[in-house]
Structures are given as C-alpha cells and as structure tokens.
C-alpha cells in the first residue's frame, strides 16, 4: 500500500496509533493479570516511531553524541527508518547515558544524579513506553499516581487528604527508599517484566537500556543495578517495579491482615501508608524493610518514621492539655491539622520549609547572576518563576507561604538591582515606582479543596 501524503496522513497517524493502543488495552483488560503478551513489536512501525518522535521533548539537553532534536529532524524519515530497522533486527546499540550531577538546592553539597540519553534513544524509549503503557495501566492500582497519564501529584495530595479526613487521621508511615533509582535491581525487574511481556524485541531493548552504561566525567561504567533518572523509560520501569514490590503486596497481603483500616498513596518512589491503629502501623513498619530487602531495596533509617497524626477532635485530653499531632511532608507540602473557618478540624497543607527555602535561594541566585540584564527581561523571567511556583504550590490553605515567596522575590530583586550602579541605591520608593510599571504576579490558589 502506498503511504498517504500531506495533511491526510498527518491526521491519521495519531488516530492509528491510539486505536492500536486501545486494542492492546482491551486485550489486557479481558485477560487475567497472569496473561503474558508474546508479540507486541509488530505495532512498532514507522508511524509508531513518528508519533513517538512527536511526543518527545525537543528542548532537552543533548546526550553523549551531542545530537540535537533539530539536527535529527532535518533528516527525520531516514533516521526513523534506520532506527526501526536496527530495533527490529537486534542491531540497535543503546548508547551510554551522560550523567550530570544536579545540586539538590542552592548552596547544598548534596547532588542528585541525572541521566541524559541521546535524542534517538529518547524516541525509541518513548515508542516502547507507548507499547507497555496500555498493558500496565490495566494493572496499576489507584494508589499509584506518579508518571501516569491523566494522574498528577495534586490528585495524590487530594486522595491523601480525603482519606485522612475520612479516617479522622491515624498513624502515618512516612517512608523514604534510599537511592531507589540507583539501587533498582535488574534481575528482579526482568523477572517481573516477564509476567506480562514475553516479546523478545521489547525485552531485548529494555535489557540493552539497563546495560547501556553511564558516561560520567570522562569515564564509562556499567552498573549492574539502577536505572538513570532522566530517561523516558526509567520512571515507567520504576512504576512496574514498585507495583509488584509494594502496591500489589500491600493490597493483597498486608491489608487483609490488619485490624483496622489502612491505605497507601504513592507517587513514583515517594509514598506514605496511613493506618487507623498504631499496632497495625508498627507491624507494617516491622515487615516493610524485610519485603524491600528481598528486592534489593533499603529504607532510609532516619528519614523513615512513624508519625502520630490523629485529629485533635478525636484525641483524649492528657494531663489537662490536648496532645498535639505531629506533621509530615509529602510531595513538597507539610500536612498538619488546623481549624477551618467554621471551627472544624481539617487537614491543611503548606509549602514544606525545605522547599520554600530552596525556592527563595534559587530566585536570589538567579537575580544575582542576571542583575545586569534589561529590567523588562528580568521582569518576564521572574513572572514566569512566580507563576510556576503558584501553579504547583497554589493550594487551599497555603496563602501565607505563597505571599512569603512573592515578598522574598521582591526583596531579592530590589537587593540585586541596587548593586547595578554604585552610588544609586534602589530605595523602596524607587522600587515601588518600578513595580507599578513592572508588576509581579499576585499569589493565587490554583487547586481548590
């Protein structure tokens, strides 16, 4: 059949890929969760790769080959056809991932390793993820929110708050997996994948990515564990791993053995477990390290903790005073009990202190580095940073933190503008007139409870 041309072809490609994904999803729903797909790679054709290319970010950092998205797109048809032929024939060689170390915050000595695949590798990883997603979306449980289409961190926060309000609080297992992406075990991951995927082409490609190696500061290493953060396929593989290691295990084996009620909320490798009974929480905390150890994972000894989080409305008075519940952090927010305007005890959220400090230091560092840029350009960038901050942290009950961040942004801007010319300080009066011409966005609540 001759390929379609022009706009007609463009309009049909996404629909064709979507239809095939729906067919895979329907089959995964109809079959049991023990059903393994023997053949998936026949879906991996030129149109599939072209759609994957369209869904791949074009503005990311380059990999070890230095090739940009624009350079790859200049000869797109030939490049995609070559990529397809190599992937199907088994001659595709996954290039090493270029590792960079990102500071966890301004002035912090701790860094977070980030892996940057080549652009072509990103396209192929996206294509394989598009094959796997329709299958595993039928298996993943409602407690999982990270890196899933149609799910977000704010949905996880909303589900957590709703569960806490229904339970009247409880005992929180605030869990931290130590270096999860660096210690994810390859052998168990391959075994878990084979429960659902038996296609040799797909499994071979995933194996090549796991063994591709890491290019770090001029040296090439081949770790036998871990999956680099930054790759397209890495968060998807992490979700599959924790689905079996944690989500399914907790739902099928742990909850039926508990005395009270419990639920789990997970976003990638960040999760909390809420129990209504302290004894249940302690039993889970005791068995959780053993479960993770079977799969090569360990819990951070100091960051993993048991938090009493009962609503003060249900607490008993001890020694003539009301015991105060503790607080815990998840996804950049501190969760705590407070009274609503109507006087009821409710769960509220505010920007975690570490996140607010990091945001303030980041803005201050940016103002220092860019103090000689034109005012209009500085204003445009600061507005973008404020809107981005409000878009995530603009949640009901967090007005004070939002206003604090805006106030510190104003102070940092004025401080560094004062350094532009010696002898001409930027007084608050002058800065006030500047703000009239270049106003900064006001805090706004984006996510209402």
């Amino acid at each position: 059949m001759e390929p379609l041309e022009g706009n007609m072809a463009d309009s049909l490609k996404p629909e064709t890929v979507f239809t095939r994904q729906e067919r895979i999803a329907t089959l995964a729903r109809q079959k049991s969760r023990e059903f393994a797909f023997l053949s998936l790679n026949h879906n991996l054709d030129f149109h599939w790769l072209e759609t994957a290319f369209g869904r791949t970010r074009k503005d990311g950092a380059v990999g070890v080959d230095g090739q940009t998205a624009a350079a790859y797109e200049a000869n797109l048809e030939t490049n995609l056809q070559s990529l397809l032929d190599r992937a199907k024939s088994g001659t595709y060689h996954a290039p090493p991932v270029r590792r960079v170390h990102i500071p966890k915050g301004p002035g912090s000595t701790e860094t977070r390793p980030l892996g940057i695949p080549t652009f072509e590798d990103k396209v192929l990883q996206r294509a394989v993820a598009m094959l796997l997603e329709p299958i595993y979306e039928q298996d993943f449980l409602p407690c999982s929110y990270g890196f899933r289409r149609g799910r977000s961190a704010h949905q996880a926060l909303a589900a957590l708050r709703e569960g806490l309000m229904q339970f009247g609080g409880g005992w929180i297992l605030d869990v931290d997996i130590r270096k999860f992406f660096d210690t994810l075990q390859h052998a168990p991951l391959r075994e878990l994948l084979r429960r659902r995927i038996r296609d040799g082409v797909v499994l071979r490609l995933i194996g090549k990515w796991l063994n591709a190696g890491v290019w770090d500061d001029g040296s090439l290493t081949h770790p036998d564990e871990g999956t680099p953060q930054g790759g397209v396929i890495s968060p998807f593989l992490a979700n599959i791993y924790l689905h079996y290691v944690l989500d399914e295990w907790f739902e099928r084996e742990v909850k039926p053995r508990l005395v009270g009620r419990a639920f789990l909320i997970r976003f990638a490798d960040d999760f909390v477990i809420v129990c209504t009974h302290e004894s249940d929480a302690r039993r889970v905390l005791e068995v959780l390290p053993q479960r993770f150890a079977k799969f090569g994972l360990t819990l951070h000894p100091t960051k993993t903790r048991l938090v009493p989080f009962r609503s003060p409305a249900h607490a008993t008075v001890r020694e003539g005073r009301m015991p105060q519940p503790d607080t815990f952090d998840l996804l950049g927010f501190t969760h705590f009990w407070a009274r609503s305007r109507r006087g009821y005890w409710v769960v509220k959220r505010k920007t975690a202190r570490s996140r607010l400090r990091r945001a303030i230091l980041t803005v201050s560092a940016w103002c220092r580095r860019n103090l000689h840029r034109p005012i209009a350009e500085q204003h445009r960038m600061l507005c973008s940073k404020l809107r981005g901050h409000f878009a995530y942290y603009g949640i009901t009950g967090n007005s004070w933190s939002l206003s604090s961040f805006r106030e510190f942004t104003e102070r940092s801007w004025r401080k560094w503008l004062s350094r532009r010319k010696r002898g001409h300080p930027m007084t608050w009066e002058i800065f006030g007139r500047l703000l009239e011409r270049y106003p900064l966005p006001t805090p706004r609540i984006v996510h209402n409870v």
Side-chain angles (χ1 to χ4, degrees), residues 64-360:
V64 293
D65 62 354
Q67 187 176 48
T68 63
Y72 193 84
E73 190 175 9
N75 199 14
L76 182 61
E77 185 173 346
T78 301
N79 287 333
L80 290 182
Q81 188 60 55
S82 172
L83 177 60
L84 178 63
D85 294 341
R86 285 177 283 138
K88 288 291 190 73
S89 65
T91 59
Y92 179 79
H93 297 286
V97 173
R98 183 170 70 89
R99 173 169 286 176
V100 294
H101 296 271
I102 308 298
K104 289 189 174 182
S108 174
T109 57
E110 294 186 59
T111 60
R112 178 180 292 107
L114 182 67
I116 304 174
T118 64
F119 181 77
E120 183 177 64
D121 212 34
K122 292 178 184 178
V123 173
L124 188 55
Q125 287 188 26
R126 176 68 65 188
V128 171
M130 287 162 52
L131 284 174
L132 301 180
E133 185 181 44
I135 299 171
Y136 284 100
E137 275 301 319
Q138 318 313 313
D139 296 353
F140 288 158
L141 301 181
C143 63
S144 169
Y145 290 88
F147 304 108
R148 295 179 60 187
R149 192 178 298 274
R151 292 189 153 229
S152 67
H154 290 97
Q155 290 176 334
L157 292 166
L160 174 61
R161 183 183 185 276
E162 182 180 352
L164 288 170
M165 292 296 292
Q166 288 179 356
F167 285 10
W171 289 80
I172 311 295
L173 275 177
D174 185 7
V175 184
D176 183 271
I177 307 176
R178 173 181 277 177
K179 296 183 178 180
F180 169 71
F181 283 93
D182 293 334
T183 59
L184 188 150
Q185 301 296 301
H186 293 175
L189 175 60
R190 289 190 177 96
E191 289 300 317
L192 295 174
L193 281 168
R194 289 184 63 83
R195 294 186 183 184
R196 281 299 240 166
I197 310 297
R198 300 284 177 84
D199 185 295
V201 172
V202 174
L203 291 177
R204 185 169 58 238
L205 286 172
I206 294 176
K208 288 183 177 182
W209 287 320
L210 292 176
N211 298 322
V214 175
W215 182 263
D216 189 354
D217 196 22
S219 63
L220 178 63
T221 58
H222 291 82
D224 56 1
E225 61 182 16
T227 174
Q229 297 185 64
V232 176
I233 202 70
S234 295
F236 197 87
L237 295 178
N239 261 347
I240 294 173
Y241 203 73
L242 287 177
H243 166 73
Y244 291 111
V245 174
L246 176 64
D247 303 352
E248 197 174 67
W249 168 76
F250 180 77
E251 194 67 30
R252 294 186 179 183
E253 298 187 31
V254 175
K255 284 179 67 174
R257 292 178 169 85
L258 300 181
V259 176
R261 295 182 293 169
F263 68 91
L264 162 72
I265 296 292
R266 181 176 68 82
F267 190 94
D269 60 325
D270 292 327
F271 70 94
V272 294
I273 297 174
V274 182
C275 300
T276 54
H277 288 54
E278 180 182 359
S279 59
D280 287 339
R282 294 193 179 278
R283 287 173 60 198
V284 176
L285 181 59
E286 182 180 351
V287 75
L288 197 60
Q290 303 170 23
R291 171 67 178 179
F292 276 28
K294 291 181 180 180
F295 295 88
L297 302 175
T298 57
L299 303 185
H300 199 288
T302 58
K303 294 182 180 179
T304 299
R305 62 194 186 110
L306 186 60
V307 181
F309 199 73
R310 289 291 294 168
S311 167
H314 302 294
T316 56
V317 177
R318 298 176 182 176
E319 299 179 359
R321 63 184 181 87
M322 183 72 72
Q324 292 296 317
D326 206 342
T327 65
F328 67 95
D329 292 352
L330 182 68
L331 299 177
F333 289 91
T334 297
H335 299 68
F336 62 100
W337 285 100
R339 288 192 183 274
S340 68
R341 292 181 178 180
R342 297 184 179 181
Y344 302 113
W345 286 104
V346 296
V347 176
K348 291 190 175 183
R349 286 76 54 89
K350 63 182 178 181
T351 308
R353 181 180 299 178
S354 60
R355 294 294 185 91
L356 182 58
R357 181 177 182 274
R358 183 193 305 176
I360 290 170

